[in-house]
């Protein structure tokens, strides 16, 4: 006699709900459905155990479980040799950039396409922004210029030198200057420039991944 015979229909339906099975039918149908589910689960467990045993039997101690791929080694980016005056100039420029307002184009709040473009000087005779009214965005002026000692310097402190050929790297001082490859340089010549820069110990600011 099955253990399900002593259970009520409500209890049988709860078991069926937990197993994700239908709860319709008479008590005999519910019991048969539960017994069939148990038989199916036991069969699946036996198959899983057999497969695991086969995998363990086929395991060879000589198999190489070590990853042959080379481990990625992080290489820190090259830093320039800065004197105290240049360090102070970079810090002053950073502070100026934080306090500088964002220059927006005229009517940027009205047309979405204008909010995505850069700065344009307003030229209308009755332009509120050109007249520098308080409720309009500020205009780019000479007074917002950064400190002259840090002008044209990369944020890292390097002086940027534009190169288009590997020969252009010969006159660069690696301690204070870094190379920037021109946008019109092709892929093959770019590889040669990177190889030459590695030989001379020069940092390439716009170096691409994988090259």
């Amino acid at each position: 006699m099955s253990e399900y015979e002593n259970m009520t229909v409500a209890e049988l339906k709860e078991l069926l709900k937990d197993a994700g099975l239908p709860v319709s039918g008479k008590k005999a149908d519910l019991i048969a459905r539960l017994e069939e589910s148990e038989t199916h689960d036991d069969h699946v467990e036996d198959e899983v155990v057999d497969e695991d045993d086969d995998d363990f039997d086929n395991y060879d101690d000589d198999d190489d479980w070590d990853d042959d791929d080379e481990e990625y080694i992080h290489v820190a980016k090259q830093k320039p040799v800065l004197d105290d005056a240049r360090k102070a100039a970079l810090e002053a420029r950073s502070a100026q950039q934080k306090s500088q307002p964002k220059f927006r184009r005229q009517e940027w709040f009205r047309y979405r396409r204008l909010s995505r473009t850069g700065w344009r000087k307003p030229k209308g005779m009755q332009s509120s922004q050109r007249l520098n009214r308080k409720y309009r965005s500020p205009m780019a002026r000479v007074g917002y210029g950064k400190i002259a000692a840090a002008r044209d310097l990369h944020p890292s402190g390097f002086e940027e030198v534009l190169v288009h050929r590997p020969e252009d790297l010969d006159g660069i001082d690696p301690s204070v200057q870094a190379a920037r490859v021109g946008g019109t340089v092709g892929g093959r010549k770019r590889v040669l420039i990177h190889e030459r820069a590695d030989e001379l110990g020069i940092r390439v600011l716009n170096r691409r991944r994988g090259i």
Side-chain angles (χ1 to χ4, degrees), residues 140-169:
R141 300 176 184 275
V142 178
Y144 289 110
K146 306 301 181 293
I147 184 171
R151 195 168 298 163
D152 299 330
L153 291 181
H154 189 263
S156 62
F158 276 114
E159 298 177 8
E160 297 188 22
V161 179
L162 189 65
V163 297
H164 294 86
R165 303 176 303 164
E167 293 78 8
D168 296 339
L169 298 170

Side-chain angles (χ1 to χ4, degrees), residues 124-149:
M125 183 176 295
Q126 298 178 352
S127 172
S128 298
Q129 188 175 21
R130 187 187 67 82
L131 296 175
N132 199 25
R133 291 179 178 168
K134 292 184 178 180
Y135 57 88
R136 295 297 181 182
S137 301
M139 292 179 56
R141 300 176 184 275
V142 178
Y144 289 110
K146 306 301 181 293
I147 184 171

